[in-house]
Amino acid sequence: VQAQFPVNPQGQKLPVGFDVELDIADVSLAEPLQGQTVREAYGTVRIVPSHAEIKADAKLNGISASIELTEPFADTVERSRKVDLKLDDAARDQLLPALSMLLSGSANVGIDLSNTERQAVTADLSSSVLSLPWIGWSKGAGIAATTAFQMERSGDQTFLHGFGIQGESFAVGGEVSLDEAGLTKASFPRVRLNRGDDFSVDIQRRGRGYAIAVKGQALDARSLIKALRATSEAGGTAAN
């Protein structure tokens, strides 16, 4: 503990301050953090007049995570709540179930919980299998890729705003809406799944299938045609 305060009349004009550093072990938060339980925290807490900083390894909903929190005591400091996790299939299904239809395998994920309405999510998908089944495309594990988006939940709906996937030879960007049954609609104004691609895709769920509109200058459609044929042979409603 470091502290500064006046002890005589001559020191009244000195600023009052303190700087406290604590080690914490096996600490649990009494209240959920943005709806997530935090247990078994081990790390450090620093408290100064303007804010408190917490850096710890903990269990977030039972999942191992690194947590960095800043709680302001003054208007000059912004609240910050960031979490880094390595998610396997089971952990992802629990924490980010909306992504389960897109991903399988492990992924390093960062979540910014500072905004109570939208959570900023970033992930390294290099070890994951990424699938966009509505347009017949997938990326295998071992191929480098990243994603970033703002996630918003409303009832049983999940919205992925500014959704983007980036790899060396592919990129997808747009807006995605999902519910408990999967994708409801998506709009990707920028799509490049193969070298030379330049097109956009709009997807809308209709009954048991999807209506898909593709527009653009260039499209390698072999994987999409293959997917549509497989869906048709299985008796599904593929696209218009």
Side-chain angles (χ1 to χ4, degrees), residues 6 17 36 54 57 86 90 114 157 166 179 181 202 216 229-230:
Q36 316 296 330
I54 302 173
D57 293 327
K86 186 176 181 65
S114 304
Q157 294 281 325
Q166 185 72 45
D179 61 15
D202 288 303
R229 285 177 174 173

Side-chain angles (χ1 to χ4, degrees), residues 17 25 29 35 71 74 77 100 106 123 139 143 162 189 195 214 230:
L29 296 185
E71 292 297 325
V77 179
S100 294
S106 63
K139 176 204 79 72
I143 299 175
R195 296 187 187 278
V214 180

Side-chain angles (χ1 to χ4, degrees), residues 79-230:
R79 175 176 283 109
S80 176
R81 300 177 172 183
K82 298 181 179 180
V83 178
D84 290 319
L85 316 96
K86 186 176 181 65
L87 301 182
D88 58 16
D89 288 338
R92 186 191 58 253
D93 290 346
Q94 178 183 349
L95 194 62
L96 299 170
L99 300 185
S100 294
M101 67 176 304
L102 305 177
L103 301 175
S104 62
S106 63
N108 294 317
V109 178
I111 306 175
D112 190 336
L113 302 170
S114 304
N115 188 318
T116 57
E117 296 181 356
R118 293 189 180 187
Q119 300 173 350
V121 179
T122 59
D124 182 350
L125 307 180
S126 300
S127 299
S128 303
V129 175
L130 170 63
S131 177
L132 303 179
W134 327 284
I135 52 178
W137 181 86
S138 63
K139 176 204 79 72
I143 299 175
T146 58
T147 186
F149 52 87
Q150 301 278 331
M151 183 170 63
E152 178 185 3
R153 294 188 177 97
S154 178
D156 64 351
Q157 294 281 325
T158 300
F159 305 98
L160 308 183
H161 302 288
F163 178 79
I165 299 170
Q166 185 72 45
E168 182 179 355
S169 61
F170 54 87
V172 178
E175 301 287 312
V176 178
S177 300
L178 309 115
D179 61 15
E180 294 179 351
L183 180 78
T184 58
K185 63 179 179 179
S187 177
F188 300 124
R190 306 177 308 278
V191 182
R192 177 172 54 87
L193 302 180
N194 300 281
R195 296 187 187 278
D197 280 352
D198 180 12
F199 65 97
S200 65
V201 178
D202 288 303
I203 306 167
Q204 182 78 43
R205 187 165 68 195
R206 289 186 181 175
R208 295 190 304 164
Y210 293 95
I212 303 174
V214 180
K215 299 178 182 179
Q217 300 297 318
L219 166 63
D220 183 344
R222 288 174 294 180
S223 60
L224 177 58
I225 293 172
K226 182 178 179 180
L228 294 177
R229 285 177 174 173

